[in-house]
Amino acid sequence: MAGAAAEAPAAGGGGKKKLILIIVAVLVLVLVGVAALLLMKKKSHAEDGEEAEAPAAHATVKAGTPPTFVPLDPFTVNLADKEVDRYAQIGVTLEVADPKVADQIKAYMPAIRNNVLMVLSHKTSADLLTQEGKEKLAREIRRESVRPMGVELDDEEEDADAPKKKKKKRRAPDSPVTQVLFSTFIVQ
C-alpha cells in the first residue's frame, strides 16, 4: 500500500502540470488571435483612410487608358512689372490619370484658382516670355493645384538653386496632377 500512496501524489502533480500547460497554450492562442484581429482592423482603417484621402493616393491606371483633362477657366492677371502696366491671359488645363481625381479637383476649384492667381500675379513679363519661365510656371501651377487637396510637392527649381546638403533621399509624394498644359498664353 505504501507504493500505491506514493503514486497518487505524483499523478496529481503531473495533472497540475498538464493543466497549466493547457491554460498557457490557450492564452497564447487567444493573444495571437487578438493580435491578428487588431492588425486586420488597423489595415482596414488604413485602407479606409486612403480612400478618404484619394487625391494623395493614385489609382492604378490600365495601359492604354487615356488621361482625363480638367480645363480651368482662363486667368487674366496684372503682372508684377514695375516700369509699365502689363497683363497676361493664360488658359490652363490639368492632366490627371484618374477620372475620380478630376471630380475631386472640381470640388477644390475655388482654392486651386486662388493659388494659381497668386502665382501668376507675382510674375513679370520677362519671367513668362522665356521657355524656362513657362516650364517653371507649369511646375508652380502643378504644385499649387494639388496643395488644397493636402498634397505637398517639392519645388525642383528651388532645390536646384539651394546649396547642396547631405540629406536622406525621400520619395516625393505622388501628385494627382500629372501635367499642366497651357491652352492660351498671351502677355501684353
Side-chain angles (χ1 to χ4, degrees):
M1 268 206 195
E7 288 180 22
K16 287 182 182 180
K17 286 182 183 180
K18 284 183 182 178
L19 181 62
I20 291 173
L21 285 176
I22 290 173
I23 291 173
V24 168
V26 169
L27 285 175
V28 168
L29 287 174
V30 168
L31 289 175
V32 168
V34 168
L37 181 65
L38 289 175
L39 286 175
M40 287 177 24
K41 280 192 173 199
K42 184 176 181 181
K43 184 178 179 183
S44 71
H45 284 298
E47 288 173 357
D48 291 344
E50 286 175 5
E51 289 175 8
E53 296 178 19
H58 265 320
T60 56
V61 178
K62 295 178 184 175
T65 304
T68 302
F69 296 99
V70 182
L72 307 181
D73 291 335
F75 295 91
T76 304
V77 296
N78 291 322
L79 296 175
D81 289 308
K82 293 183 182 189
E83 64 276 354
V84 65
D85 288 336
R86 291 188 160 238
Y87 74 93
Q89 184 177 19
I90 300 174
V92 176
T93 301
L94 303 177
E95 179 182 327
V96 297
D98 187 3
K100 292 177 185 174
V101 173
D103 292 336
Q104 291 171 340
I105 285 175
K106 290 174 186 173
Y108 287 100
M109 192 57 71
I112 292 170
R113 285 192 57 81
N114 176 66
N115 289 357
V116 173
L117 279 169
M118 296 303 282
V119 168
L120 290 171
S121 66
H122 286 86
K123 297 292 181 183
T124 64
S125 58
D127 294 337
L128 299 178
L129 292 176
T130 65
Q131 180 70 24
E132 294 82 20
K134 289 179 178 88
E135 291 170 357
K136 181 179 179 186
L137 178 62
R139 286 191 307 270
E140 290 173 348
I141 290 173
R142 181 173 178 239
R143 183 189 69 225
E144 293 301 323
S145 66
V146 296
R147 185 172 281 168
M149 296 182 285
V151 177
E152 292 291 329
L153 299 178
D154 293 333
D155 188 11
E156 300 91 36
E157 190 70 25
E158 289 177 4
D159 291 343
D161 294 341
K164 302 288 181 187
K165 293 181 183 177
K166 289 185 180 181
K167 55 182 174 183
K168 294 180 183 176
K169 284 201 171 201
R170 64 173 197 240
R171 189 175 157 265
D174 291 336
S175 173
V177 175
T178 56
Q179 191 173 5
V180 173
L181 306 167
F182 296 115
S183 54
T184 59
F185 208 102
I186 299 170
V187 177
Q188 286 187 337

